[in-house]
Amino acid sequence: LEMAVTRSDWRARWIASYSVSIGIAGWVLLLCATRWDTLRSHLWPLFLFTALSVVIKRLGFHVAREVTPSLVGIVDLAALFVLGPAVGAWVAVMSGLLYWELSSIRHRLFSWRFMVEHPLFSSGLKALMALGCGELYVGLGGSIAPTTVTWRSLVPLLSTLAAWFSIDRVAWGVRAFLRGGTRELRDFLRNMLAHSILVELVPLPLSIIIALAYVSMGEPAFVLLALALIASGALLQRFSEVGGDLEHHVAELTALNDFGRALVEAQLGMDPLCELLYQFCSQMVDAPVFVLELMYPEQNLVDVVVHAEQGERQPRRTLPLTGEMQWMANAREALLNNNVKR
């Protein structure tokens, strides 16, 4: 158990170090690249694009754990095309920072991980993405605040969209690898190929339409388009929630049916039943740590029958019964700790 805890602590430290490094690097480059007089002259469009980006983030849905929600890239990229790399980067940075901070406050997650690590990583990464993709866009001949799109201008536009998506996936893929090794990375890539390309990469060309609407058609058209995006985001979020609930219920019913069949066919020994519980609970709940214990209050012992971390089984062992375990055995209730967050 101590070795498993130590390994988990080291993974958390590596993730924190990586996140803080990305965050600091992004912020430093952004501050160095910013021309403050230019930024002050674009405060109103900066506010408009940032507010829209935060709202779209809130209405998006995640395709993998801890990954930026879907659809949000279209607003950040539109700001980059309209305002240029440095000012557009501030839209991506501030919207990413505000989203994570407000989300943490809404869910009452006041730990270092949620209040500092995630917002710093997200905002720093967005700064690096915006500055890098902005330089790529300009270097390939793209024009700031475009009024029209030609076949020739599609080259810098589409190259920028592809670079934006690729940098974001690589950065989050590194976090997945640090969190759970190759197994977590494979799961991340599987989710990306199955969902992320469809709901994050494919909608990115809409950023070009948003930029053209703002530059060529004026703010009223931009506001109408923003309202349409918000309505579409709300509908997509609702469809995602309904589809996810339906898929979850089907998986639950299937697992319960299989469990009942396996229970009838299995021997009624304690160890086979514990193994069945572990197998089918793992199908229904994707828990990084799974522990199944049998308490013997008369002997003051706890038999740790099943202990798995990231799918890796730990050896069976016996531990002394603690006061908390004694309380759960007597009260027949779960022991809740408000300091432990999912």
Side-chain angles (χ1 to χ4, degrees):
L1 180 61
E2 292 180 357
M3 291 180 62
V5 172
T6 302
R7 189 186 306 116
S8 178
D9 289 343
W10 273 108
R11 289 188 184 277
R13 292 173 185 175
W14 276 109
I15 293 174
S17 299
Y18 169 72
S19 301
V20 171
S21 299
I22 292 292
I24 293 176
W27 275 98
V28 169
L29 287 177
L30 178 60
L31 293 174
C32 292
T34 299
R35 295 181 179 179
W36 299 103
D37 54 342
T38 304
L39 185 66
R40 285 191 293 269
S41 66
H42 289 85
L43 287 180
W44 175 241
L46 182 67
F47 171 78
L48 281 180
F49 279 102
T50 301
L52 179 59
S53 181
V54 172
V55 173
I56 295 298
K57 275 187 173 72
R58 176 64 181 86
L59 295 176
F61 52 92
H62 295 264
V63 298
R65 185 170 61 174
E66 295 184 354
V67 177
T68 305
S70 61
L71 301 180
V72 68
I74 61 177
V75 180
D76 296 340
L77 279 167
L80 187 150
F81 295 143
V82 172
L83 305 175
V87 180
W90 277 101
V91 172
V93 166
M94 294 307 299
S95 62
L97 185 67
L98 287 172
Y99 169 78
W100 282 106
E101 294 290 356
L102 294 175
S103 179
S104 299
I105 294 173
R106 182 165 59 92
H107 293 97
R108 300 183 181 276
L109 303 174
F110 300 115
S111 64
W112 156 272
R113 177 187 176 192
F114 293 100
M115 293 298 295
V116 178
E117 180 184 326
H118 280 183
L120 182 60
F121 172 74
S122 178
S123 59
L125 175 60
K126 287 297 185 292
L128 295 175
M129 291 166 57
L131 292 173
C133 293
E135 292 300 322
L136 175 66
Y137 175 69
V138 174
L140 291 176
S143 60
I144 302 302
T147 58
T148 185
V149 176
T150 63
W151 291 110
R152 185 175 181 180
S153 63
L154 282 180
V155 174
L157 287 169
L158 296 180
S159 299
T160 303
L161 303 185
W164 180 278
F165 178 81
S166 300
I167 296 172
D168 185 61
R169 296 303 89 184
V170 169
W172 284 102
V174 172
R175 271 185 64 98
F177 177 76
L178 293 175
R179 182 173 57 245
T182 55
R183 178 177 178 271
E184 188 78 15
L185 181 59
R186 284 196 303 269
D187 292 341
F188 176 84
L189 293 175
R190 189 182 304 113
N191 287 328
M192 185 186 74
L193 294 175
H195 306 289
S196 187
I197 292 178
L198 179 62
V199 300
E200 293 189 64
L201 177 60
V202 173
L204 287 183
L206 288 175
S207 60
I208 305 172
I209 307 301
I210 299 173
L212 292 175
Y214 183 86
V215 175
S216 302
M217 303 176 66
E219 290 185 358
F222 174 78
V223 171
L224 292 175
L225 182 58
L227 293 175
L229 285 173
I230 293 172
S232 300
L235 287 175
L236 285 174
Q237 185 186 60
R238 182 56 181 165
F239 288 151
S240 176
E241 291 174 352
V242 171
D245 291 342
L246 180 60
E247 183 178 352
H248 183 67
H249 291 326
V250 171
E252 285 182 342
L253 292 174
T254 302
L256 288 174
N257 181 61
D258 293 341
F259 177 72
R261 185 183 300 109
L263 186 62
V264 172
E265 297 174 354
Q267 298 178 355
L268 296 181
M270 186 60 68
D271 290 347
L273 289 178
C274 291
E275 287 296 327
L276 283 176
L277 282 173
Y278 167 63
Q279 293 174 11
F280 287 98
C281 286
S282 299
Q283 296 178 17
M284 298 175 65
V285 180
D286 183 18
V289 179
F290 185 95
V291 180
L292 180 59
E293 301 173 339
L294 298 178
M295 298 184 185
Y296 299 96
E298 299 81 5
Q299 304 176 25
N300 199 35
L301 293 175
V302 174
D303 183 11
V304 184
V305 182
V306 179
H307 178 199
E309 299 227 2
Q310 302 293 346
E312 182 179 347
R313 293 290 292 267
Q314 306 297 322
R316 184 171 180 172
R317 61 195 179 280
T318 303
L319 301 174
L321 190 66
T322 63
E324 293 82 359
M325 294 177 179
Q326 183 68 53
W327 182 89
M328 287 190 289
N330 295 333
R332 300 291 181 178
E333 296 179 7
L335 180 63
L336 303 179
N337 186 345
N338 292 329
N339 294 324
V340 177
K341 300 297 182 182
R342 182 178 176 181

